[in-house]
Structures are given as structure tokens and as C-alpha cells.
Amino acid sequence: MIADLPADIHDLKGFLSSAEGEALYRHALQASTRGPVLEIGSYCGKSTIYLGLACRANDSTVFALDHHRGSEEHQPGEFFHDPELYDTGEALFDSFREFRRNIRAAGLDETVVPVVAGSAAAARHWHTPLSMLFIDGGHSLDAALADYRCWSGHLLRGGILAIHDLFEDAHAGGQAPIAIYRMALESGLFEAVERADSLGVLRRL
């Protein structure tokens, strides 16, 4: 059981299964004793809540990085577009209001630090070592590679790298996340720790 997990967590907008959320929580609970956690791709905050509850238990921090304009698949006319998250006045996708509402309702305003920016821009002057990195941002190959290359070097030795949406079969899902997962393994800098549904968890050696 996860203490203080919102009763409506499964109703929040997002693509994280219960098994994936529980795995994130377990690894963040251990990792965040050593430093902050950074998440790339917060969307409406479902995964952020699992990470945030773990970090709060250790008086640590989650940096929740997302430009909140949606990935390619969230745009109008695409498969995962949600009209409720589309700002008609600005003619732009915007998940930030929903994200803030969910984080506040979970009581995590003092634990979660939103970073509203693109991944590369946020990484440009980043110097804080990370105990855990969760990559769940854009699923194009360029976006996934940028997330991995910009941020994996900030992980402490022994730190956790978690990557969402791993699909061996291209018919089941995009191949960019599993490409960077394999890249991490082939680098010799990471070892596989766990798989939970489409979540892969590695540890930096």
C-alpha cells in the first residue's frame, strides 16, 4: 500500500498502469534518500504523484519537467488528442492547469517543482546531481535521444533510470523509448533492474 495515494489516481488523465506507478514509487522511495528525482514528461501529473509521494517521505524533491504543449500524438487530429486539454483561446494544447490541479489535490505543492520548458533548454545549465531520472517525454526518436543524452549524465552512480513505453513490437507502440533503453544497456553504464508492464528500470553502475 502507498500512503496517501489519491483514491481517484486511476481516474486521472495519463497512460501509467498501476504496476508501473507502484514500481516508480518503490524505486523513488529508495533513490530519493540520496537526492532529487527528475521526471521528463509530466502530462497531467499521474506519474508525478507516485514519485512525489515517495520523495515527500524522504523530504526530497521531484523536478517535473514538461513544456505542457503535448507531444506529437497529443496534437489536434492525432490519436491521443484530448479536447479537454486544448486551449481554444490560444489554439494550443495545454496540460499545465490540469497538472497543477492534480498536484495540489495530492498535497504535493511543497514536494513537486514544475519546470515548464523543453528538455534541452532546461538541461542547458543544469548542475544538480539526480538520484533518479524518469523519461516519458516525446516519443519521436529525436526527442527521446535528446532526453537521454541531455539528462542521463546527471545521474549519480547507483541512481535509477526509468523509461516508459517500451515495446519490442512496433505494432504495439513507438520504438524510440526502447531504442534509448537499449542504448543505455549497450553503453555499459547501466544494468537492467526491473520491467513492469511497459516500464523499464535500470541502475547506473
Side-chain angles (χ1 to χ4, degrees):
M1 294 293 291
I2 300 175
D4 300 323
L5 188 67
D8 66 346
I9 188 71
H10 306 301
D11 298 325
L12 302 186
K13 295 179 187 293
F15 308 96
L16 196 75
S17 73
S18 297
E20 293 165 346
E22 289 162 8
L24 286 178
Y25 175 85
R26 282 188 286 102
H27 287 287
L29 188 63
Q30 183 176 32
S32 62
T33 61
R34 304 177 61 213
V37 171
L38 187 136
E39 163 184 70
I40 304 172
S42 303
Y43 195 50
C44 294
K46 181 179 285 189
S47 57
T48 321
I49 289 171
Y50 282 100
L51 295 170
L53 291 173
C55 286
R56 187 173 68 182
N58 293 317
D59 196 26
S60 190
T61 298
V62 179
F63 293 102
L65 171 59
D66 197 314
H67 49 52
H68 288 285
R69 293 306 186 190
S71 300
E72 299 85 351
E73 63 269 24
H74 297 138
Q75 303 310 313
E78 298 300 323
F79 187 75
F80 289 108
H81 178 64
D82 185 341
E84 293 182 358
L85 299 178
Y86 189 72
D87 185 335
T88 54
E90 296 290 331
L92 290 169
F93 184 93
D94 188 354
S95 55
F96 190 44
R97 180 179 297 179
E98 185 76 8
F99 170 84
R100 288 192 302 173
R101 181 184 297 117
N102 292 334
I103 295 305
R104 184 177 303 113
L108 292 171
D109 277 339
E110 299 303 313
T111 300
V112 174
V113 177
V115 181
V116 184
S119 181
R124 193 172 295 134
H125 298 292
W126 188 273
H127 298 291
T128 303
L130 302 170
S131 68
M132 180 172 174
L133 171 64
F134 175 43
I135 298 179
D136 191 20
H139 285 17
S140 69
L141 185 57
D142 285 347
L145 284 171
D147 291 340
Y148 175 73
R149 289 169 174 165
C150 285
W151 294 99
S152 61
H154 293 290
L155 269 175
L156 294 164
R157 292 188 66 177
I160 293 296
L161 170 61
I163 303 173
H164 194 222
D165 290 331
L166 303 184
F167 299 105
E168 280 79 7
D169 183 354
H171 293 96
Q175 296 296 285
I178 201 163
I180 62 170
Y181 177 85
R182 290 169 176 158
M183 182 181 296
L185 285 176
E186 291 166 3
S187 73
L189 297 174
F190 293 90
E191 63 178 357
V193 174
E194 180 180 356
R195 288 287 292 269
D197 292 340
S198 74
L199 179 74
V201 180
L202 306 101
R203 178 179 292 109
R204 184 168 185 181
L205 300 172

